[in-house]
Amino acid sequence: MNTAYSWLKAYVPDLDAAPQEYADAMTLSGTKVEYFDKFDKNLEKIVVGRIDKIEKHPDADKLVVCQVCVGEETVQIVTGAPNVVPGETEGALVAVVLDGGKVAGGHDGGPMPEDGVKIKAGKLRGVPSCGMMCSIEELGSSRDMYPEAPENGIYIFDPARNVKPGDDAVHALGLDDVVFEYEITSNRVDCYSVTGIAREAAATFGKPFCPPSEEVKGNDEKTEDYIAVEIQDPDLCARYCARVVKNIKIAPSPQWMQRRLAASGIRPINNLVDITNYVMEEYGQPMHAFDLSTVAGNKIIVRRAKEGETFQTLDGQMRQLDSEILMINDAEKAIGIAGIMGGENSKITDDVNTVLFEAACFDGTNIRLSAKRLGLRTDASGKFEKGLDPNTAEAAINRACHLIEELGCGEVVGGMVDVYPRPMEGHRIPFRPDWINKFLGTEIPVETMLSYFPPLELVYDEKTSEIVTPSWRQDLEQEADIAEEVARFYGYANIPTTLPQGEATTGKVSFKHRLEDTAREVAEFCGFSQAMTYSFESPKVFDKLLLPEDSPLRQTVTIANPLGEDFSIMRTLPLNGLLTSLATNYNRRNKNVALYEIGNIYLPKALPLTELPDERTQFTLGFYGDGDFFTMKGVVEEYFYKIGLRNRVEYNPDTDRPYLHPGRKADIVYEGTPVGYLGEIHPAVADSYGLGERTYVAVIDLPQILGMASFDRHYQGIARFPAVTRDLSMLVKKSITAGEIEAAILQRGGKLLENCQLFDIYEGSQILPGFKSMAYSLTFRAADHTLEEKEINSVMNKILNALEHMGIELRK
């Protein structure tokens, strides 16, 4: 976004800051100035001169000797400018650089010297010359800014210009101006306009803001009698304003308008086109003009294009359309691509008599996508795609009609056709000064805060203690946004340094990150290396993992623009990436490989998607080589111990996970809640990945254990009283698991049972078929006294009774 300083001063008349001061202050208040360019840099001692007499040079055919009045004196200047001709150019007013002055560069169009060119008095072919008459290029500008300047030759002032010899030529040409380039953030759509920047400048420097006039007189006719408007797709067109101007007079626009447009990088064309461009830069609202005589049926219809429809735009190109592109149509045909470019069939020509002005608000996302599909990005589409305020459309079209009347370009028809289905209003945001001060770490008085709002057109509702925002401030949505407005005008440099409040002040990471960090520590301590795999994968993964067709895990989030089918969905299981990495290591003959990953899976809450999916972080472990099911089980229990899950972990073998071995799999259950699973990979799955060894995996769902874990540790001293040990040797049916036995022992052992340890298991010829021998060592201890035999026997009897009910016999 570029603005000329003179344009800004038209709306902030009291603005008198130097360019660097202005740039610094605007940047600190939130409107970042990237760069500024002074038109008059390297221009010194340049005045208006009048050529009083021209004579041929005595020794050069292409040179002339001029007597030039520069105010109180007349100087002699020798020049070879082709447009200085004896008998024709006398009396012309020109720009003259005096002896010792500087110009920006030469007239050859080459790069300008960084420090300009110093001009000194001297002789040309023996004739003294004091100073130089300047071309527009030597003044550091171009014919884009000054189209009236000759292609070759010195710049001659229009006789109608109110200048006289001795005047400051730089000022007379408007070269005492500065163009500022801004970096505007995408949420400040209002600042993509001169009035938006001017409003910010007024608030920054505490000067009054004088908005441009939008007053339109109009004639006694009604626009409704000339044109009707219908919006068939209100989801893509929030508002459509139309006004009519008749008796159009095409002519060049005034110099002040041409200068401002050229400073913004827009080439002046004629008064009608220049007014629409001028208002677009001034208000940030694109406009378009149609020749009303080409609008069939005197009706405008805003609707989507038909699939496969073609349309010729103003640049003469035929465009292929689709049903997502919004079009401006009359009663018979399309006449413009909404928000992008008008049509060849309704363009303004020099013979135009009646013009239809359009100022509308189109959906920014649709305009951006349409422009991309068409390969046609314009200044208008660049504005619309940022998301404009519908309320600006009326102000912009009225401003354009005001300029029409001011410049005498035509006769404005009274009234306006305005189709606005759902008027847009600003937000109401609670105003809590105490909260703002706490949030910012300041002690700003309420009166000071309130003083910042009127220049920004923020209204304070004292009854409800709310700030009412204008509709064009789409970035203000919540209290933090109001706090930011206070902060930027109070001055970020004035906010004292304070320590942030919260957990981070004590140097801690979040609890979730501590769980993840502990997972890494345990995995790496146990010999696992970290893996990082893609979160997006192929739908073919589900077949490799033997998931049934009706498995809910096949319900996935599909990527809209995937790199290919192999990266087209978000994963619902964390195993594929890890198994692929293990297979890569196996195929490269790496032995005993153990990998882990902490990554997300993405479970849609509903399909098609209506809200963000459930992103669950999972701790995944996998290895092949040395180790078995119980090795993996030990890593899991080590992790649980480190994060404070001290109660007994249970394993449920009755789990429906087709990618795990039927006899070597289990769900991990803690306090009755499944928190993960572990097991050996199914042989068919291992074959599909090319794994030639038994592979074991474990998956722990971190959100599930988040509320169960604890890093609190309590000191326990060394036991003061002795422990008593009892051994049990039992004959157990093979169908009874060690976990069931341990659960029974721990339940009946009560507080006196300190430890229960399986130390022997045997199956063989000395044991009955269908049975196994298991031996446990039980440790008893009391915290406050030495145990007596009767206490131990009482607990042992409870344990033996429980085992007897399970059909377990003691070995004799």
Side-chain angles (χ1 to χ4, degrees):
M1 178 67 195
N2 294 349
T3 64
Y5 205 12
S6 59
W7 200 347
L8 292 176
K9 289 180 177 180
Y11 310 135
V12 191
D14 297 337
L15 188 59
D16 57 359
Q20 188 63 58
E21 179 189 358
Y22 172 86
D24 293 342
M26 291 293 284
T27 299
L28 289 174
S29 68
T31 308
K32 184 180 179 183
V33 177
E34 281 283 307
Y35 172 79
F36 65 85
D37 183 23
K38 298 175 66 176
F39 288 166
D40 60 354
K41 65 182 177 182
N42 299 327
L43 299 182
E44 297 177 8
K45 298 179 68 175
I46 299 176
V47 299
V48 175
R50 184 184 64 239
I51 303 176
D52 289 337
K53 185 178 180 181
I54 305 174
E55 297 176 332
K56 288 187 176 182
H57 194 287
D59 295 322
D61 293 338
K62 294 184 178 181
L63 297 179
V64 294
V65 180
C66 303
Q67 304 301 319
V68 183
C69 174
V70 292
E72 296 181 355
E73 63 174 327
T74 297
V75 297
Q76 178 172 289
I77 298 175
V78 178
T79 181
N83 61 337
V84 179
V85 180
E88 296 181 11
T89 321
E90 282 88 349
L93 294 170
V94 297
V96 177
V97 55
L98 302 176
D99 179 28
K102 287 173 65 176
V103 292
H107 63 276
D108 56 359
M112 294 185 184
E114 185 175 346
D115 297 325
V117 177
K118 194 148 184 119
I119 303 299
K120 295 182 180 180
K123 290 184 178 182
L124 285 177
R125 292 287 185 95
V127 175
S129 180
C130 186
M132 182 180 76
M133 293 181 284
C134 304
S135 68
I136 201 66
E137 290 78 13
E138 288 164 333
L139 295 172
S141 192
S142 68
R143 295 183 70 243
D144 289 335
M145 286 280 288
Y146 296 84
E148 73 277 12
E151 187 171 355
N152 291 300
I154 63 171
Y155 181 85
I156 299 177
F157 286 95
D158 189 318
R161 294 286 293 275
N162 187 24
V163 295
K164 62 184 186 300
D167 286 352
D168 185 345
V170 173
H171 176 72
L173 286 167
L175 288 172
D176 53 345
D177 203 354
V178 185
V179 170
F180 294 93
E181 179 182 338
Y182 305 86
E183 180 185 332
I184 307 298
T185 55
S186 58
N187 65 330
R188 287 304 304 272
V189 181
D190 58 297
C191 286
Y192 285 96
S193 65
V194 176
T195 53
I197 296 292
R199 190 181 288 108
E200 288 291 310
T204 299
F205 290 95
K207 306 293 185 181
F209 171 62
C210 302
S213 175
E214 299 165 10
E215 181 183 357
V216 182
K217 296 178 182 178
N219 61 19
D220 296 333
E221 298 178 279
K222 294 182 179 179
T223 300
E224 292 89 341
D225 297 334
Y226 283 81
I227 194 71
V229 176
E230 177 187 353
I231 300 177
Q232 294 186 0
D233 290 283
D235 57 321
L236 300 183
C237 179
R239 188 179 192 182
Y240 194 100
C241 298
R243 295 201 71 151
V244 173
V245 180
K246 64 181 188 178
N247 301 325
I248 291 294
K249 300 174 184 176
I250 299 294
S253 54
Q255 287 191 352
W256 60 265
M257 181 175 285
Q258 292 186 34
R259 301 285 190 268
R260 291 178 181 180
L261 288 174
S264 298
I266 298 175
R267 182 172 62 88
I269 297 175
N270 59 49
N271 52 3
L272 198 61
V273 176
D274 291 353
I275 284 172
T276 60
N277 287 333
Y278 186 85
V279 173
M280 179 175 70
E281 292 300 305
E282 191 173 44
Y283 282 77
Q285 169 68 52
M287 295 181 59
H288 190 69
F290 300 100
D291 185 341
L292 188 60
S293 66
T294 65
V295 179
N298 283 43
K299 185 172 185 179
I300 292 292
I301 302 172
V302 186
R303 62 164 177 81
R304 285 176 166 88
K306 297 176 182 177
E307 195 69 38
E309 183 179 353
T310 59
F311 179 72
Q312 187 175 21
T313 47
L314 278 171
D315 58 1
Q317 299 293 316
M318 292 298 297
R319 308 288 176 177
Q320 189 78 23
L321 310 178
D322 60 50
S323 59
E324 291 302 314
I325 295 176
L326 191 66
M327 300 296 293
I328 308 299
N329 304 266
D330 60 21
E332 298 175 357
K333 62 187 181 300
I335 58 175
I337 304 176
I340 300 177
M341 186 177 282
E344 182 74 16
N345 57 7
S346 62
K347 69 179 181 180
I348 301 295
T349 65
D350 291 341
D351 299 328
V352 66
N353 180 65
T354 305
V355 166
L356 170 66
F357 273 116
E358 162 199 285
C361 185
F362 304 114
D363 179 71
T365 302
N366 177 265
I367 295 298
R368 180 178 62 82
L369 295 175
S370 297
K372 185 176 181 181
R373 288 198 298 275
L374 292 170
L376 180 62
R377 194 170 189 273
T378 61
D379 289 339
S381 68
K383 300 278 187 184
F384 277 118
E385 67 187 28
K386 294 174 176 62
L388 301 184
D389 172 24
N391 294 326
T392 305
E394 180 179 1
I397 202 168
N398 285 338
R399 172 61 173 167
C401 290
H402 171 84
L403 291 171
I404 290 283
E405 293 180 335
E406 180 182 325
L407 303 182
C409 302
E411 180 184 350
V412 179
V413 175
M416 175 178 66
V417 174
D418 185 7
V419 182
Y420 196 3
R422 294 185 294 273
M424 182 176 176
E425 297 180 355
H427 299 288
R428 298 185 72 92
I429 304 173
F431 176 61
R432 296 186 294 164
D434 292 342
W435 183 89
I436 292 175
N437 275 323
K438 182 178 179 182
F439 184 70
L440 298 177
T442 56
E443 296 180 357
I444 305 172
V446 178
E447 295 76 14
T448 303
M449 292 186 190
L450 292 174
S451 69
Y452 299 144
F453 300 147
L456 300 171
E457 298 186 29
L458 305 181
V459 179
Y460 174 55
D461 187 340
E462 192 172 355
K463 293 181 180 179
T464 61
S465 192
E466 291 177 316
I467 300 297
V468 183
T469 68
S471 57
W472 40 264
R473 284 302 301 270
Q474 300 175 27
D475 59 308
L476 302 181
E477 297 179 342
Q478 53 189 333
E479 286 184 273
D481 298 325
I482 298 299
E484 182 181 8
E485 296 301 292
V486 171
R488 67 193 186 99
F489 289 107
Y490 177 70
Y492 292 112
N494 297 324
I495 297 177
T497 302
T498 58
L499 285 173
Q501 297 181 353
E503 189 178 6
T505 305
T506 61
K508 294 182 180 178
V509 297
S510 68
F511 191 80
K512 173 179 178 292
H513 287 141
R514 292 182 71 186
L515 285 182
E516 295 175 6
D517 290 344
T518 305
R520 291 186 184 92
E521 291 172 6
V522 169
E524 291 169 7
F525 175 79
C526 294
F528 289 76
S529 299
Q530 186 171 14
M532 297 186 72
T533 64
Y534 291 119
S535 295
F536 37 85
E537 54 194 20
S538 169
K540 298 175 183 177
V541 166
F542 301 129
D543 294 331
K544 294 177 71 174
L545 294 174
L546 306 180
L547 287 178
E549 292 295 330
D550 59 350
S551 172
L553 294 175
R554 287 181 179 265
Q555 304 299 311
T556 62
V557 176
T558 303
I559 299 173
N561 55 341
L563 298 175
E565 185 184 5
D566 290 343
F567 307 98
S568 61
I569 61 170
M570 302 302 292
R571 64 184 177 187
T572 56
L573 277 168
L575 296 178
N576 174 66
L578 204 65
L579 291 177
T580 301
S581 297
L582 288 170
T584 300
N585 281 275
Y586 178 79
N587 292 326
R588 293 179 182 176
R589 302 189 179 184
N590 294 327
K591 297 181 179 180
N592 303 320
V593 176
L595 302 175
Y596 79 93
E597 180 181 19
I598 299 174
N600 287 353
I601 61 170
Y602 304 84
L603 305 176
K605 298 173 184 176
L607 289 177
L609 286 176
T610 56
E611 55 182 319
L612 293 175
D614 183 14
E615 297 186 30
R616 305 191 69 82
T617 304
Q618 300 204 321
F619 176 28
T620 308
L621 299 143
F623 76 85
Y624 66 79
D626 293 344
D628 54 18
F629 179 94
F630 298 101
T631 304
M632 185 66 81
K633 178 172 172 282
V635 178
V636 171
E637 293 188 351
E638 175 70 13
Y639 176 58
F640 283 2
Y641 177 82
K642 288 289 186 181
I643 62 174
L645 303 186
R646 300 302 174 83
N647 294 335
R648 184 173 173 275
V649 181
E650 298 178 358
Y651 299 90
N652 178 17
D654 298 326
T655 177
D656 183 21
R657 300 191 186 274
Y659 39 84
L660 297 181
H661 192 292
R664 304 186 183 103
K665 63 180 179 180
D667 278 346
I668 305 170
V669 181
Y670 186 78
E671 294 184 348
T673 301
V675 295
Y677 55 88
L678 78 162
E680 180 184 331
I681 291 295
H682 195 289
V685 174
D687 288 344
S688 68
Y689 280 93
L691 286 163
E693 290 192 40
R694 287 185 173 181
T695 303
Y696 300 89
V697 296
V699 177
I700 299 171
D701 190 61
L702 295 184
Q704 198 68 262
I705 62 174
L706 189 62
M708 305 174 181
S710 172
F711 290 99
D712 293 338
R713 298 291 185 265
H714 300 284
Y715 170 75
Q716 289 182 334
I718 298 173
R720 296 171 56 196
F721 300 95
V724 178
T725 303
R726 293 285 189 271
D727 292 341
L728 287 176
S729 182
M730 302 171 287
L731 194 62
V732 183
K733 293 179 181 179
K734 285 187 176 181
S735 60
I736 300 175
T737 64
E740 292 174 306
I741 296 173
E742 291 174 9
I745 293 174
L746 292 171
Q747 180 185 10
R748 295 300 180 94
K751 295 182 179 180
L752 296 183
L753 180 62
E754 185 176 82
N755 190 29
C756 169
Q757 183 70 44
L758 174 68
F759 67 87
D760 183 64
I761 183 168
Y762 172 75
E763 297 180 37
S765 57
Q766 299 180 22
I767 304 298
L768 293 174
F771 286 83
K772 57 188 174 182
S773 174
M774 302 179 71
Y776 280 88
S777 176
L778 310 182
T779 302
F780 300 92
R781 193 195 305 266
D784 54 356
H785 65 281
T786 300
L787 288 175
E788 298 181 359
E789 188 69 22
K790 62 180 180 179
E791 292 179 282
I792 299 171
N793 290 338
S794 173
V795 176
M796 283 298 298
N797 288 335
K798 292 179 182 179
I799 293 172
L800 294 174
N801 288 336
L803 297 175
E804 185 179 348
H805 280 92
M806 296 172 65
I808 297 174
E809 300 177 9
L810 292 179
R811 292 190 65 187
K812 305 296 183 182

